[in-house]
Amino acid sequence: MKKIALYSLLILGTVFISGCGDDFLNRVRPLNFTEEIAFSDAAHIEQTVVGLYSNSGLRHNYLLGGRILLVSENVGDDVINDSNNGVELYNTYLMGVGLSTQENMGTWQYAYQAINKCNIFLDVIASNKEAAGSNYDKFVAEAKFIRALTYYFLHQTYTMPYLYTGSGGGPSALSVPLRLQAETEIFENKDLARATSQEVLDQILSDLSSASALPVGNGKEETVARASQAAAAALKMRVYMIMGQWQNAIDAGKSITGYSLVSDITSLYKAPYITSEAIFSAAFADNNRGSSQSHVAYYYNNGKSDKMEVVSGIFSIEGYKIANDPRIGTLTNINTAAAGKEYLLKYPDATTYTDWIPVFRYAEILLNLAECYANLGNDAEALNYLKQVRTRSVKAEDEVLNLDALKGDALKQAIYNEARLEFIGEGHRGFDIRRRAETITKQGNTARPLVFPPSTGTANYIWPIPYSELAQNDAITN
């Protein structure tokens, strides 16, 4: 075994601190594993895989610890960030992230750290296939899923829209470096140019091609807090939608079976978080959780940083502020709040920050199918999937929209609006705006609207490559 000490530093010494429930999240592991021990048998290798999800890996504060999802919401137009605090994504909200802005530097650093841990794991397990036994393909597929999901977040943060036909967009748009080699020395392979949008998306799809080795997904803890075939298909669906490949996205979405909408949407945000709708979640426990200024509960609870935009956001549109809709009446305080005090109630635990954060749930699959069918001109199928989600929360007697009359672009807009309401606070809105190459427009708490079309590029629309990367990578530019 080579470079045991360095491998231990990069993958073992940092990941064996946590794992969901009593068997996965609260399990404390020793910090002195060597590579020989960690890859000695299937049980130890599984502990290493679990570590790839931990708060030093995918669930790091800057990733699914909450912050990357908060970035998407603060790019969007349905929340107001009035923290006036650069630490709390205020620059993201104002669309003023620069080369040295904290969230830019941190997101880049920890995303590539998570990717490199996956790369190291894949490198080492290839030499320990016999020890992994019958779980070898599953372990590899999990590491590749984590790498793929991390690259998805990087792509959506730093890449001009694939569907944008203006300068700098499209399949050849500059994205992020594809680091697929295990790097075990400082500055090893440091000079690496940016891949194109097409290359990054193709790599994500390639990583997801191993998903047949994952468990199918069954609404149990081990397939909600960890990768499953359904989670991989959900990510694949998003990637195809980025590229406007609507039929491929439909095929990916329809491959997800065995899930259903829960009757009460509010149950999704309560322990134990394992439901028929949950596909993949960022799972937390006392010894494995996001920190205060990263976890979503800190931002939304009591409107600490992010309040609901009720003047120009989704709640200002007719049909999306129905008092009896539990997404309004129970998951926000809008019905009773004084003006300027409206906030989200999905994540109530602002003390221990152990609320689980949905990343993929079945409602998204249904609304994505609706959007895909609408783009293919099949309004009947699009309306069918839209209604499944909307009627779960809006009773017939409260409905103010004439859904059956919606056609074409009006139907698409209704699907977009439903997704805005359904997933507010779950990290969808900003990425959806960019995916569709729409103009970012928000009134917020500024004196005048913030308006940024895709043509503003790295000046405002997407993030620039951070200074920390530019300073050490001679092959990269903005």
Side-chain angles (χ1 to χ4, degrees):
M1 297 287 181
K2 59 182 180 178
K3 299 172 183 168
I4 293 174
L6 191 54
Y7 276 125
S8 298
L9 173 64
L10 289 175
I11 189 169
L12 304 176
T14 58
V15 301
F16 281 117
I17 57 176
S18 60
C20 262
D22 294 336
D23 294 329
F24 183 58
L25 283 179
N26 281 315
R27 197 186 315 164
V28 178
R29 299 181 180 83
L31 299 179
N32 58 351
F33 275 47
T34 64
E35 183 182 325
E36 283 93 341
I37 295 174
F39 289 87
S40 60
D41 56 45
H44 285 91
I45 295 173
E46 179 157 15
Q47 288 186 314
T48 310
V49 173
V50 167
L52 296 176
Y53 293 92
S54 76
N55 54 9
S56 65
L58 181 63
R59 284 197 301 271
H60 188 276
N61 290 335
Y62 276 91
L63 301 174
L64 289 186
R67 186 161 290 200
I68 193 64
L69 304 176
L70 289 159
V71 164
S72 178
E73 293 295 332
N74 278 272
V75 166
D77 47 5
D78 290 326
V79 303
I80 296 173
N81 186 321
D82 64 356
S83 68
N84 295 309
N85 187 343
V87 176
E88 297 175 16
L89 302 178
Y90 192 59
N91 291 306
T92 293
Y93 175 71
L94 295 179
M95 308 300 291
V97 170
L99 299 180
S100 300
T101 305
Q102 182 189 52
E103 55 260 46
N104 190 3
M105 303 267 278
T107 298
W108 188 273
Q109 174 187 344
Y110 291 107
Y112 275 105
Q113 179 176 300
I115 288 167
N116 195 45
K117 287 177 179 177
C118 292
N119 292 342
I120 292 173
F121 175 84
L122 291 167
D123 187 50
V124 179
I125 197 175
S127 301
N128 293 273
K129 188 171 183 177
E130 185 175 343
S134 61
N135 283 320
Y136 173 80
D137 290 339
K138 175 180 179 291
F139 294 153
V140 168
E142 284 196 84
K144 288 186 175 182
F145 170 82
I146 293 169
R147 184 170 69 180
L149 185 56
T150 307
Y151 267 121
Y152 163 79
F153 289 126
L154 284 170
H155 181 276
Q156 291 304 88
T157 303
Y158 292 95
T159 313
M160 288 292 290
Y162 190 99
L163 298 179
Y164 178 55
T165 58
S167 176
S172 61
L174 291 178
S175 188
V176 297
L178 274 174
R179 296 194 177 276
L180 306 174
Q181 172 183 315
E183 298 169 3
T184 58
E185 301 285 355
I186 296 175
F187 301 127
E188 182 179 5
N189 193 34
K190 71 178 183 66
D191 295 334
L192 188 63
R194 299 173 70 171
T196 66
S197 177
Q198 187 69 65
E199 289 168 338
V200 173
L201 296 174
D202 284 347
Q203 180 59 48
I204 294 172
L205 293 173
S206 176
D207 277 348
L208 296 176
S209 68
S210 301
S212 60
L214 295 171
V216 173
N218 51 14
K220 293 183 180 178
E221 187 174 272
E222 61 267 26
T223 57
V224 173
R226 294 174 65 174
S228 66
Q229 291 183 33
L235 179 53
K236 186 183 297 185
M237 190 180 199
R238 287 191 190 180
V239 171
Y240 282 130
M241 291 177 73
I242 288 171
M243 297 189 288
Q245 295 184 14
W246 309 117
Q247 187 57 57
N248 284 340
I250 288 170
D251 292 343
K254 286 194 167 182
S255 74
I256 299 172
T257 59
Y259 293 85
S260 60
L261 298 178
V262 297
S263 58
D264 177 11
I265 190 175
T266 65
S267 67
L268 295 171
Y269 310 99
K270 302 173 184 176
Y273 306 104
I274 310 298
T275 70
S276 63
E277 187 170 336
I279 295 175
F280 180 73
S281 298
F284 299 97
D286 288 342
N287 70 342
N288 189 346
R289 59 191 181 185
S291 70
S292 59
Q293 288 177 298
S294 295
H295 194 278
V296 294
Y298 175 91
Y299 282 71
Y300 294 121
N301 196 277
N302 296 316
K304 175 73 175 179
S305 298
D306 286 347
K307 297 180 174 62
M308 300 295 94
E309 170 59 276
V310 297
V311 175
S312 62
I314 184 61
F315 302 109
S316 69
I317 302 173
E318 184 182 10
Y320 301 94
K321 193 182 175 183
I322 297 172
N324 289 335
D325 184 336
R327 297 173 297 183
I328 305 295
T330 306
L331 296 179
T332 78
N333 72 335
I334 287 176
N335 287 345
T336 58
K341 303 294 183 181
E342 299 90 351
Y343 54 85
L344 191 67
L345 299 172
K346 284 184 176 179
Y347 311 105
D349 185 2
T351 301
T352 64
Y353 304 105
T354 55
D355 292 311
W356 289 23
I357 309 171
V359 179
F360 299 113
R361 56 185 176 93
Y362 193 58
E364 178 191 344
I365 306 307
L366 297 175
L367 287 177
N368 283 350
L369 286 169
E371 182 176 342
C372 291
Y373 276 115
N375 275 287
L376 291 176
N378 189 335
D379 288 351
E381 279 293 274
L383 185 60
N384 168 47
Y385 287 109
L386 169 61
K387 281 184 173 181
Q388 288 184 51
V389 177
R390 184 164 178 86
T391 58
R392 185 252 299 270
S393 296
V394 179
K395 297 178 181 179
E397 58 267 29
D398 296 322
E399 184 61 87
V400 298
L401 301 179
N402 185 358
L403 297 176
D404 291 328
L406 296 175
K407 306 290 182 184
D409 288 343
L411 177 56
K412 284 184 190 178
Q413 191 59 58
I415 295 166
Y416 301 163
N417 289 343
E418 200 65 33
R420 290 173 68 177
L421 178 57
E422 180 76 15
F423 304 118
I424 191 166
E426 297 179 36
H428 289 241
R429 179 57 179 160
F431 291 155
D432 282 344
I433 291 173
R434 285 174 172 162
R435 170 173 63 81
R436 293 191 286 261
E438 297 171 342
T439 294
I440 297 170
T441 305
K442 44 191 173 181
Q443 177 66 52
N445 53 358
T446 58
R448 57 187 178 186
L450 298 169
V451 181
F452 296 107
S455 59
T456 58
T458 54
N460 297 102
Y461 196 78
I462 59 171
W463 288 6
I465 305 298
Y467 175 76
S468 55
E469 182 71 15
L470 297 173
Q472 66 181 14
N473 183 350
D474 293 335
I476 198 169
T477 59
N478 271 309

